[in-house]
Amino acid sequence: METSIAKIILTDKLIRLGNQAQIPLKREGTFSARLVRDGIEVSNLGTQGFLPWSVFEETIAFLEQQGGRAIKGDAIGSRLGERGLELNTIEGHIAATIYGKQPGQYVLRRITPIARILDWAGLCEDQSGYLLLRPLPDLKQIKLI
């Protein structure tokens, strides 16, 4: 399987920082993100803090399909498919595609660490309510450590 740009950039940044980084939240504070074998472990999702690489890869692919901009979505107080957590939001798409959730099911809110990590890595711009895809570098130009 081909390694994604997101995985290369995130891995490189985290390795350079000793496999762990403090990721700023939008308003105030931080959460920790730690490089693990198959993804990133975050401190702000309690006991379900593992985010596999597929979450980041699928988020980038979804943004590309949506023309570079997509609504983040909000799992707080909504079930998958309801207003605010539609399948055409990043949160809804990831819940259905990666985590196998069906319409009507509750979803763990993962959009904050996903959006903040992608913003921190320079792959996306985390705006209020949506994510913007930044131009991705050419894989051939990335220097691997």
Side-chain angles (χ1 to χ4, degrees):
M1 183 174 129
E2 184 178 312
T3 302
S4 74
I5 291 174
K7 181 178 178 181
I8 290 170
I9 290 172
L10 290 169
T11 300
D12 182 62
K13 280 195 83 160
L14 286 166
I15 287 173
R16 290 178 191 271
L17 294 170
N19 294 335
Q20 186 163 321
Q22 291 299 310
I23 308 295
L25 291 165
K26 243 177 131 65
R27 291 187 178 88
E28 63 180 55
T30 62
F31 64 93
S32 65
R34 183 172 55 91
L35 185 63
V36 294
R37 181 174 180 187
D38 295 319
I40 297 176
E41 184 82 32
V42 296
S43 64
N44 63 337
L45 292 179
T47 60
Q48 297 182 27
F50 175 67
L51 297 171
W53 291 123
S54 58
V55 165
F56 301 101
E57 293 162 349
E58 189 61 33
T59 299
I60 297 294
F62 183 71
L63 284 165
E64 288 173 335
Q65 292 168 2
Q66 300 298 313
R69 181 182 189 271
I71 296 170
K72 289 192 276 188
D74 188 359
I76 295 178
S78 299
R79 293 176 191 235
L80 185 58
E82 292 180 347
R83 185 173 184 200
L85 190 57
E86 294 94 343
L87 292 168
N88 65 347
T89 64
I90 297 167
E91 183 93 270
H93 179 77
I94 294 300
T97 305
I98 302 300
Y99 294 100
K101 295 292 184 176
Q102 298 296 313
Q105 290 184 308
Y106 284 108
V107 172
L108 175 66
R109 187 170 199 264
R110 293 180 175 93
I111 192 62
T112 297
I114 294 168
R116 297 309 305 148
I117 288 169
L118 290 172
D119 185 273
W120 169 82
L123 296 167
C124 293
E125 188 175 328
D126 185 7
Q127 294 291 317
S128 182
Y130 61 93
L131 269 183
L132 284 176
L133 184 62
R134 291 186 173 137
L136 298 176
D138 183 351
L139 198 56
K140 295 173 191 165
Q141 297 175 353
I142 298 174
K143 294 180 182 176
L144 301 174
I145 57 172

